[in-house]
Amino acid sequence: MGERGRATTIADVAARAGVSQASVSRVLNGKASVDPEIVRAVRRAVADLGYRPSPAARSLVQGRNQTIAMVVPDLENPLFQGILKGLSVAAAAEGYRVLVADTNERVDDEEEIAIEARERCDAIVLCAPRLPAERLAKLTARLAPAVVVNRTLEGDAPVIGVDYARGIRDLVEHFAALGHRRLLYLAGPESSASNADRIRGVAEAIAADPGMQISVQPCGSRLDDGFAAAEAVVAAQRDGVTGVLAFNDLVALGLLTRLRKLGVRVPEDLSVAGFDDVPMAAFATPALTSLSVPRAELGGQVWSRLRALIAGDPVGHAVVYRPRLEVRESAGPVGAAAGPDAAGPDAAGIEAVGVDAAGIDAAGVDA
Amino acid sequence: MGERGRATTIADVAARAGVSQASVSRVLNGKASVDPEIVRAVRRAVADLGYRPSPAARSLVQGRNQTIAMVVPDLENPLFQGILKGLSVAAAAEGYRVLVADTNERVDDEEEIAIEARERCDAIVLCAPRLPAERLAKLTARLAPAVVVNRTLEGDAPVIGVDYARGIRDLVEHFAALGHRRLLYLAGPESSASNADRIRGVAEAIAADPGMQISVQPCGSRLDDGFAAAEAVVAAQRDGVTGVLAFNDLVALGLLTRLRKLGVRVPEDLSVAGFDDVPMAAFATPALTSLSVPRAELGGQVWSRLRALIAGDPVGHAVVYRPRLEVRESAGPVGAAAGPDAAGPDAAGIEAVGVDAAGIDAAGVDA
DNA sequence: CTGTTAGCGCTTTCAT
DNA sequence: ATGAAAGCGCTAACAG
C-alpha cells in the first residue's frame, strides 16, 4: 500500500540510468543515434521504474496529442455508430484515439461543441446533418484539419459523402422496372442535409421519368416515426400509391410493423424500401430492400483523409460513395391485390390522418 | 489569408489588458476576487484577441483534462452504444468529454488499451465482458478512478452492473406461469461474464422450481447467430421444448426470422424471449418479450459514480440494476399446436444440426 | 488585490 | 553523440 507521490518522470529515469533527460527522450523517441550502451541503460531504467511518459506534457510541447474528435448529433443512430466504429478502428491502428461528442441533436450547440472538441485534438470529423451549409463550411475551415462526413458541401471542404440523390434515383428505377408508377417518399428530418439530397433525388427521378409520380410525406428518422406514418401511407395507397421509399431503414422497419397490423401485405399490396441497410434489414419480414451505405468504410475513409490532412497533404478530391441497392423481398412487382379491401378493421380511422398532409412538399417535387 | 504564427496565449492577453498573466488566469478561472476594473480589461482583451486557453497547458499543470475514457469491446453492440450515449450526455453536461476505445473484441489488447486510454484521461470506465475477473479487478484498481460497467466483480471495485441472473429467473417464472416446463437457453459468447450470469440464473431457476427443465445451447450474440440456431431450436422443440430464452434481443430477432421461414409460429408453437429490450424489440413481429436493461441510465449512473470518484469520494456500494420484464407477444401460454407437424418442408435437414450440440453445458445445469 | 516567480514533464536547440 | 538549458502555456504559491 502507499503508492503516494508523483508518478515517475523522465528525470527519474535519467537519474537512474545515469544520463541526461535529453538522452532518455532520444531513446524513447528513436531520434538521432544514441550509444547502444546508453540505450540499454535507459531501457532498463524505464523497465525498472515502470516509467510511462506523460501525454499531457508531450501534448504541450509537441502541439499534438494523437487524438481526433468526432462530433455527432446522436450516438444512437446506426449510421453514425457505424462511421464511428470504422473511424475508431482505423485510427487506433495508427495510434490515434477518438474523442466523441454527442450534441444530442441540439444544432445550436454544435459549433461551440465542435470548437471545444477540436481544441483538445489534432483534427476533427464533423457529422452535422442539420447545420446550415454555410455555417458548416465556415466551421470546417476554421477547424482544419477537419473533414465533413455524410453530406456534401459546396467549395473545397474535405468531404466524405454519400450520394443519396443517386441512391434514390437507382431505387426509383428499380421500382419503375417493377411496374410502379406512383410512389411515396417518407421524408426524414426537415433540416437534414441527407434528407434534402434524397428529395433532390426524387425530383431528378421524376424529371428523368415523366411517367413516374412521387409524393412526399413528412415523417422522421426513427422506428416510431415509420410506425406512425402507416396510416397516412395506407391512405396514399388508396390513392393509387404502390410503393414507399422510406427515409431510412428504421422508418421502413417501423412502417412494416404497423402495416402488418393493418393487414397490408408487403410486397403484395404495397412495396417498401429503406436506406442504410442496417443489420436488421436483412432479417426483417419481409426482408427489406434497401440502399446499402458502407458505414464502417466511410469511417475508414474519413480516417485516411484526416491522416493526410494532419500530415499536411493538400485537401484532395471529395469522395462520394454511391449506395448499393440491396434487392430483397419488400419491394416487388406491382401486382394482383391492391386497394382498400385488404385493410382490416383498424383501417377505420385512416381518414383522420388523411393524405392531405402528404401534400406539404409535394407541389415542388411531384410531376 | 495568413493566420500564421502561434495562437494567442495568455501572455498576449495580459499584455493587451495591461495586467499580469496571473490576473488573467484569475479572471478566467474565477479565482479569488479581482478588481472589477481588471476583470473588464481582461474580458475585453480576451474578446478582442479571440483568446482561448490551451487545454494541453492546463492539463499539464492541473493534472487533469476533463476527459474520461471508455473502453468497449465493440461499438456496434447496442448495449454498449446505449451506455456510451448515456455516459457521454451526462458527462458533457458537466464539461467532461469522452474518449472511446474500441478493442475490437481483442481481449488480450484490452489491458494495454485501457492503460493507455487512462493516461490521457481523468478516469475510465471499463466495459470488458470477456476479461477474466481477476485481471479486470487488478486493472480497475490500477486505473482508479475507474468503474466497471455491465458486470459484477468480487471485492470492492466500483461496479455498475445488471442482475442478469435475476432477470433470467424472472423470465423463467414468467414462462412457468404460462405453463412452460421445458426451456432452452441460447447462450452468448462463452467467455462473456454476462453470459455466465445468465447461466447462473438458469441454474438458480431450476433449483427454485424442480419441475422446470432448461437446457443450454451454445449460440452467440448477434442476429445471424440467432438465425443459425433456429434449426437446433426446432429440433429441441421436437424434444419437448416449448420456450426459448435468447442471450439477447439480437439473437432472439434473428431466431424469429428463421423460425418464420421454417413455419414455426411464435408464440403458438414456440415462445421466445430476449434480453436488453433494444428499440427494435417492440417492433418485431411478434413483438418480442424481453428483459429491459436501462442502457442510457446505466451510462448516466456510471458518470455520477465516476464524478464522485474523481472528486475523491469513497467508493460506495455497487449498483446493480434489475432488468424489467417487458411482456409482449412472443412468449405466450404453452398451447394448442405443438410438435413437428408445424414444420414446413425446410425442416427436412434439421437432424443434421441435431439436438446433441445442445447438450454441451446442459449436464451441469439441467435438472 | 496584484504581480513575480516557480514549476508541471517533456522535447529540442545549442553548445560541447 | 551527449548534456545543459530554454521553453511549450498555464496555474499556484508567495510576496508585496
Side-chain angles (χ1 to χ4, degrees):
Chain A
M1 50 219 103
E3 33 193 69
R4 280 277 58 87
R6 304 162 11 276
T8 79
T9 79
I10 198 174
D12 302 323
V13 178
R16 172 112 182 187
V19 299
S20 72
Q21 295 189 20
S23 288
V24 177
S25 177
R26 288 182 187 112
V27 171
L28 263 35
N29 296 299
K31 301 279 185 150
S33 51
V34 185
D35 187 294
E37 195 79 353
I38 292 192
V39 174
R40 255 187 297 109
V42 169
R43 293 211 187 294
R44 269 220 61 190
V46 167
D48 291 351
L49 268 33
Y51 167 74
R52 313 214 51 165
S54 148
R58 314 187 88 215
S59 295
L60 178 57
V61 69
Q62 303 194 137
R64 55 192 162 75
N65 65 173
Q66 305 271 110
T67 303
I68 60 182
M70 172 160 183
V71 177
V72 297
D74 177 18
L75 271 173
E76 224 125 43
N77 184 310
L79 180 62
F80 308 148
Q81 287 164 356
I83 295 174
L84 172 60
K85 167 88 185 187
L87 172 67
S88 155
V89 170
E94 293 174 60
Y96 276 76
R97 297 258 103 74
V98 178
L99 187 78
V100 289
D102 183 326
T103 64
N104 226 1
E105 304 277 9
R106 284 190 305 278
V107 178
D108 289 333
D109 297 347
E110 260 170 7
E111 283 148 310
E112 178 52 27
I113 291 175
I115 291 170
E116 203 270 347
R118 172 65 180 82
E119 282 170 341
R120 304 171 176 274
C121 301
D122 302 343
I124 190 170
V125 17
L126 266 9
C127 194
R130 320 277 260 275
L131 197 64
E134 201 178 339
R135 281 162 68 188
L136 181 54
K138 199 159 296 176
L139 189 63
T140 307
R142 166 171 177 185
L143 265 31
V147 358
V148 169
V149 66
N150 196 40
R151 67 184 277 179
T152 50
L153 225 43
E154 299 290 315
D156 56 338
V159 167
I160 308 296
V162 176
D163 194 345
Y164 291 109
R166 178 60 189 254
I168 288 287
R169 271 155 47 211
D170 289 345
L171 189 54
V172 171
E173 269 179 36
H174 177 60
F175 271 89
L178 291 169
H180 297 267
R181 313 268 70 190
R182 296 223 45 199
L183 268 25
L184 176 67
Y185 168 59
L186 290 181
E190 282 195 39
S191 50
S192 148
S194 73
N195 182 56
D197 287 352
R198 289 166 172 86
I199 299 259
R200 186 163 49 76
V202 165
E204 291 170 358
I206 292 170
D209 178 359
M212 180 65 75
Q213 283 182 45
I214 309 178
S215 38
V216 176
Q217 158 85 27
C219 182
S221 61
R222 297 170 319 174
L223 284 165
D224 47 293
D225 294 320
F227 190 87
E231 266 131 348
V233 166
V234 171
Q237 184 202 9
R238 285 190 178 161
D239 238 44
V241 163
T242 59
V244 176
L245 321 177
F247 172 70
N248 65 18
D249 287 350
L250 259 25
V251 167
L253 257 11
L255 174 65
L256 247 31
T257 299
R258 183 104 180 90
L259 248 24
R260 210 176 292 120
K261 297 200 169 145
L262 293 176
V264 178
R265 293 170 307 160
V266 176
E268 294 82 355
D269 301 335
L270 187 68
S271 285
V272 173
F275 227 116
D276 288 353
D277 191 28
V278 299
M280 187 65 204
F283 289 87
T285 302
L288 185 66
T289 287
S290 182
L291 285 158
S292 165
V293 173
R295 297 179 289 283
E297 197 177 328
L298 273 176
Q301 187 64 228
V302 165
W303 166 243
S304 66
R305 179 58 61 96
L306 226 36
R307 178 189 37 196
L309 290 175
I310 291 174
D313 294 357
V315 166
H317 291 290
V319 171
V320 177
Y321 282 87
R322 174 176 176 181
R324 186 164 37 80
L325 180 63
E326 292 292 344
V327 176
R328 289 195 272 253
E329 309 160 359
S330 66
V334 34
D341 51 344
D346 273 6
I350 292 181
E351 328 290 8
V353 174
V355 73
D356 283 348
I360 289 186
D361 288 331
V365 164
D366 218 327
Chain B
M1 54 215 97
E3 31 194 73
R4 280 276 58 85
R6 302 165 8 278
T8 80
T9 78
I10 199 175
D12 302 324
V13 178
R16 171 111 184 187
V19 299
S20 73
Q21 295 190 19
S23 288
V24 176
S25 177
R26 287 183 189 110
V27 171
L28 264 34
N29 297 298
K31 299 277 188 161
S33 50
V34 185
D35 186 294
E37 194 80 353
I38 292 192
V39 174
R40 255 187 297 108
V42 169
R43 294 211 187 294
R44 269 219 61 187
V46 166
D48 291 352
L49 270 31
Y51 167 75
R52 311 214 52 165
S54 150
R58 316 186 88 214
S59 295
L60 178 57
V61 69
Q62 303 194 139
R64 54 194 163 74
N65 65 176
Q66 305 272 109
T67 302
I68 60 182
M70 173 161 182
V71 177
V72 296
D74 178 16
L75 271 174
E76 224 124 42
N77 184 309
L79 179 62
F80 308 148
Q81 288 165 356
I83 296 174
L84 173 60
K85 167 89 184 185
L87 173 67
S88 156
V89 170
E94 293 174 61
Y96 276 76
R97 296 253 116 43
V98 178
L99 187 78
V100 288
D102 184 327
T103 65
N104 227 0
E105 304 278 9
R106 284 190 306 278
V107 177
D108 289 334
D109 297 347
E110 261 171 6
E111 283 148 309
E112 178 54 26
I113 290 176
I115 291 170
E116 203 270 345
R118 172 63 179 85
E119 282 169 342
R120 302 171 178 274
C121 301
D122 302 343
I124 190 170
V125 18
L126 266 9
C127 194
R130 320 278 258 275
L131 196 64
E134 201 177 340
R135 282 162 68 187
L136 181 54
K138 201 161 294 176
L139 189 63
T140 307
R142 167 171 176 182
L143 264 32
V147 358
V148 169
V149 66
N150 196 40
R151 67 184 277 179
T152 50
L153 225 44
E154 299 290 315
D156 55 337
V159 166
I160 308 295
V162 176
D163 194 345
Y164 291 109
R166 178 60 189 254
I168 288 287
R169 271 155 47 211
D170 290 344
L171 188 54
V172 171
E173 267 178 37
H174 178 60
F175 272 88
L178 290 169
H180 296 268
R181 314 267 69 190
R182 296 223 45 198
L183 268 24
L184 177 66
Y185 169 59
L186 290 180
E190 282 195 39
S191 51
S192 148
S194 73
N195 182 57
D197 286 351
R198 290 166 172 86
I199 299 260
R200 187 162 47 76
V202 165
E204 292 170 355
I206 291 170
D209 178 0
M212 180 66 74
Q213 283 183 47
I214 310 178
S215 38
V216 177
Q217 159 85 26
C219 181
S221 60
R222 297 170 319 176
L223 283 165
D224 47 294
D225 294 322
F227 190 87
E231 266 129 346
V233 166
V234 171
Q237 183 201 8
R238 285 189 178 162
D239 238 44
V241 162
T242 58
V244 177
L245 321 177
F247 173 68
N248 66 18
D249 286 350
L250 259 26
V251 167
L253 257 12
L255 174 65
L256 247 31
T257 299
R258 183 106 181 88
L259 248 23
R260 209 176 292 120
K261 297 201 168 144
L262 293 176
V264 178
R265 294 171 303 160
V266 175
E268 294 82 356
D269 300 335
L270 187 68
S271 285
V272 173
F275 227 115
D276 288 353
D277 192 27
V278 300
M280 188 63 203
F283 289 88
T285 302
L288 186 65
T289 288
S290 182
L291 285 158
S292 165
V293 173
R295 297 180 289 284
E297 197 178 327
L298 272 176
Q301 185 64 229
V302 165
W303 165 245
S304 65
R305 178 58 63 96
L306 227 36
R307 179 190 35 196
L309 290 175
I310 291 173
D313 294 355
V315 166
H317 292 290
V319 171
V320 177
Y321 282 86
R322 174 175 175 179
R324 186 163 37 79
L325 181 63
E326 292 292 343
V327 175
R328 289 195 272 253
E329 309 160 0
S330 66
V334 37
D341 52 346
D346 275 5
I350 291 181
E351 328 291 8
V353 174
V355 72
D356 283 351
I360 290 186
D361 290 331
V365 166
D366 216 327

